[in-house]
Amino acid sequence: MIKNSLLSAALVLAATTTAQAQTNLRTQFNQALALFNEMVMNKEIGEAIDMIQPDVVLSDAEKAEYNTALSEAFPDPFVGSSTVQSETLKSGFRQEMLAYWTEEGDYLYLYLVMHTQGAQQQVIHVEHTTTFSKFIARF
């Protein structure tokens, strides 16, 4: 009887720890996504990419080039952003489609692929387009 109680307690603790770890990962992801969205909305895409892909080292000049290209492609300010689609894949992979838009109706879409291993989540792929159908077809 005591053995079963200890086993049950251990399973509950393990499940709680796993649930907390998943919650913490999602909370960290949501906080990073909010900061990322803020950077894109401010047309600081170079800094945003640098933040989410730490293994990709961008020089200040490269960041400035990305920022200039985004500002030239979207001269009007972004007025909104949203996660269009989010899907959990197998083996710790996840894909996200993000959208940013101007008041004039111009849209920027970003496609992210992430992978979670243990307590670490990393963005392993980023793409962008102005064509909705290019990314939504992947879901």
Side-chain angles (χ1 to χ4, degrees):
M1 177 78 171
I2 293 175
K3 185 177 180 181
N4 287 339
S5 294
L6 290 174
L7 182 57
S8 294
L11 288 174
V12 168
L13 286 174
T16 302
T17 302
T18 301
Q20 287 173 342
Q22 289 173 344
T23 300
N24 289 341
L25 274 178
R26 191 63 195 178
T27 299
Q28 289 172 0
F29 172 76
N30 288 339
Q31 290 170 344
L33 181 60
L35 181 57
F36 178 83
N37 284 336
E38 183 180 322
M39 290 175 169
V40 174
M41 295 282 291
N42 291 329
K43 299 187 181 170
E44 298 169 342
I45 189 84
E47 290 78 5
I49 291 171
D50 195 49
M51 179 191 78
I52 65 168
Q53 288 191 298
D55 57 324
V56 175
V57 179
L58 299 176
S59 69
D60 289 342
E62 289 171 319
K63 290 178 203 175
E65 285 178 37
Y66 278 118
N67 297 346
T68 299
L70 183 61
S71 292
E72 288 175 356
F74 294 90
D76 297 313
F78 289 118
V79 294
S81 69
S82 182
T83 300
V84 176
Q85 190 71 285
S86 179
E87 181 179 25
T88 302
L89 306 170
K90 294 180 179 181
S91 303
F93 289 91
R94 167 176 217 82
Q95 63 180 354
E96 304 262 341
M97 180 179 172
L98 309 175
Y100 305 87
W101 58 90
T102 67
E103 196 170 282
E104 290 70 27
D106 297 316
Y107 291 85
L108 170 67
Y109 302 100
L110 295 177
Y111 175 76
L112 308 174
V113 177
M114 293 152 283
H115 189 227
T116 301
Q117 293 182 9
Q120 185 176 4
Q121 185 175 53
Q122 65 179 354
V123 175
I124 59 173
H125 182 74
V126 179
E127 288 182 62
H128 70 281
T129 188
T130 57
T131 307
F132 180 80
S133 61
K134 180 177 178 183
F135 295 151
I136 199 65
R138 296 178 182 180
F139 292 87

